[in-house]
Amino acid sequence: MRLVSRAVATGLSVALLCSLAHAQSKSASNVELEQLKSQLQGIRQGFPGDMAVYMKNLKTGEEISLDADSVYETFSVIKIPIMATVLHQAEAGKFSLNDRITLKAADQRLPSGVLYTMQPGLNPTIRDLITLMIIISDNPATDLLADKVGRANVTSYMHELGLKDTSIKFSDLDWDRTWLGTLDPSYKNATGDKTIQFPFNKFSEAQVQSAFSQTIYNAGIYFGHSTARDVGRLLEMIQQNKLVSKPSSEFMLVAHKTGDGQPFIANDAGILFVRNQPVVLVVFTGHHRGETEALHDAVARVAALVAEHYGAQLSPDYKPQ
């Protein structure tokens, strides 16, 4: 009886020690996470504009959110929800990723990607268009895909997933017409092949930038709307194969997707894989009052701090502020 009691006592002691060690480790981890949050908050507070940050380590569940539920202009980050909707509809049997779409002259858009340089008649597959939309942010590919699935359907699918603040309503062509029409009213209803001929040399850089800014903030038009948390949750669902089949999920995985309207906006969203830890990171900015280089530097520093926190080796030319 005495031996049994001693064995039980010893087992309890070991369990208690393990519990205490785990609690101490968790406490240390919480302290380090708060330190990271404080560092990110420091970047955000010093940023001349608005900034939202959402981070989640999908292995540990650690999460940081800074203004992550405010709605921002996404610019090209909205291409991730478009891609998810295309794959969702394809797996529902509405079309095949191998179906082809014939490019017309009217499908051209202001320089973005490569399709605007191609002659009408090219027949890329839907899979090709997704690749171009995500890897080089091709805007003609984006409008073709959004037309294919329907922008209202992208919005409704995101809402079905619980991403209630994510929406798309306007095309890239709508946006270009509004911007260019501010400078020259004859472009308010221009076709895509006319927009790429816009005579920017007739206007000063200040005029072009002012029209661009007015379109972002005062024209009632947008590329996409979302929050840092919504986009982060979408990336999490993609990484965990919760939307479509595993092969389709793997096809959708992107290291990151930018969305720029510089020098006013620079967004970035993706998944960092650091020491076998998938870490979702989304940074949205807006109303930036500074130069483009500083805008991109601030976003990059957020990513550097998060990557370093989880053990990544930063490049030798990285210099902390």
Side-chain angles (χ1 to χ4, degrees):
M1 187 72 178
R2 216 176 273 167
L3 289 173
V4 173
S5 298
R6 286 178 65 186
V8 171
T10 300
L12 288 173
S13 297
V14 171
L16 182 58
L17 286 172
C18 288
S19 178
L20 287 172
H22 177 72
Q24 289 172 348
S25 174
K26 188 173 182 180
S27 176
S29 176
N30 288 341
V31 169
E32 291 172 354
L33 190 66
E34 283 301 314
Q35 289 174 341
L36 173 61
K37 183 176 181 179
S38 178
Q39 289 176 305
L40 297 178
Q41 187 69 280
I43 293 177
R44 183 169 174 265
Q45 288 175 343
F47 185 75
D50 302 326
M51 176 183 282
V53 178
Y54 177 77
M55 183 223 68
K56 184 175 181 180
N57 184 319
L58 301 184
K59 184 175 182 179
T60 66
E62 292 175 330
E63 185 179 85
I64 291 175
S65 61
L66 302 172
D67 197 34
D69 296 310
S70 292
V71 176
Y72 281 71
E73 160 66 77
T74 64
F75 272 93
S76 288
V77 172
I78 198 64
K79 294 171 184 179
I80 302 175
I82 294 173
M83 172 178 63
T85 306
V86 173
L87 269 293
H88 171 69
Q89 290 193 10
E91 291 209 343
K94 294 188 176 181
F95 49 79
S96 166
L97 295 184
N98 294 322
D99 289 348
R100 294 183 178 274
I101 296 178
T102 302
L103 267 68
K104 306 180 295 296
D107 294 323
Q108 294 178 312
R109 298 291 181 267
L110 284 176
S112 167
V114 296
L115 288 183
Y116 79 96
T117 69
M118 304 297 180
Q119 293 298 309
L122 188 71
N123 279 305
T125 65
I126 291 176
R127 184 185 298 274
D128 293 333
L129 293 174
I130 294 171
T131 301
L132 291 170
M133 176 178 71
I134 296 299
I135 293 180
I136 57 174
S137 211
D138 192 288
N139 283 339
T142 303
D143 267 1
L144 287 167
L145 290 172
D147 289 345
K148 179 72 177 177
V149 299
R151 290 171 183 79
N153 290 329
V154 175
T155 299
S156 63
Y157 181 47
M158 292 301 107
H159 291 183
E160 287 173 18
L161 295 174
L163 312 179
K164 61 182 179 61
D165 292 314
T166 301
S167 65
I168 178 174
K169 181 178 180 181
F170 303 98
S171 67
D172 177 70
L173 182 60
D174 291 331
W175 209 94
D176 290 342
R177 285 168 167 169
T178 304
W179 173 33
L180 302 181
T182 303
L183 296 164
D184 181 342
S186 70
Y187 279 80
K188 287 184 177 179
N189 295 299
T191 56
D193 48 330
K194 183 179 179 182
T195 63
I196 66 172
Q197 303 298 327
F198 189 81
F200 283 102
N201 60 334
K202 290 185 178 180
F203 303 90
S204 68
E205 183 177 349
Q207 287 176 306
V208 172
Q209 286 294 313
S210 176
F212 193 73
S213 174
Q214 288 296 314
T215 305
I216 294 174
Y217 298 118
N218 300 318
I221 195 169
Y222 57 91
F223 274 88
H225 278 164
S226 191
T227 67
R229 190 188 304 275
D230 267 13
V231 173
R233 289 175 61 201
L234 180 60
L235 289 170
E236 180 178 355
M237 286 185 269
I238 291 172
Q239 199 276 334
Q240 296 181 343
N241 308 321
K242 291 182 176 179
L243 301 181
V244 288
S245 65
K246 186 175 180 181
S248 292
S249 296
E250 290 175 349
F251 174 63
M252 283 198 290
L253 271 181
V254 292
H256 74 128
K257 182 73 200 77
T258 58
D260 289 351
Q262 51 203 27
F264 310 105
I265 293 172
N267 301 325
D268 209 343
I271 304 174
L272 306 174
F273 290 89
V274 186
R275 296 184 180 274
N276 297 318
Q277 300 173 93
V279 181
V280 166
L281 180 60
V282 182
V283 182
F284 280 166
T285 66
H287 297 93
H288 180 249
R289 304 178 300 277
E291 299 299 321
T292 297
E293 184 178 355
L295 173 60
H296 287 156
D297 183 72
V299 176
R301 287 185 180 280
V302 170
L305 285 172
V306 171
E308 187 176 42
H309 175 79
Y310 287 110
Q313 184 72 40
L314 301 183
S315 59
D317 60 344
Y318 176 76
K319 293 180 176 61
Q321 285 184 324

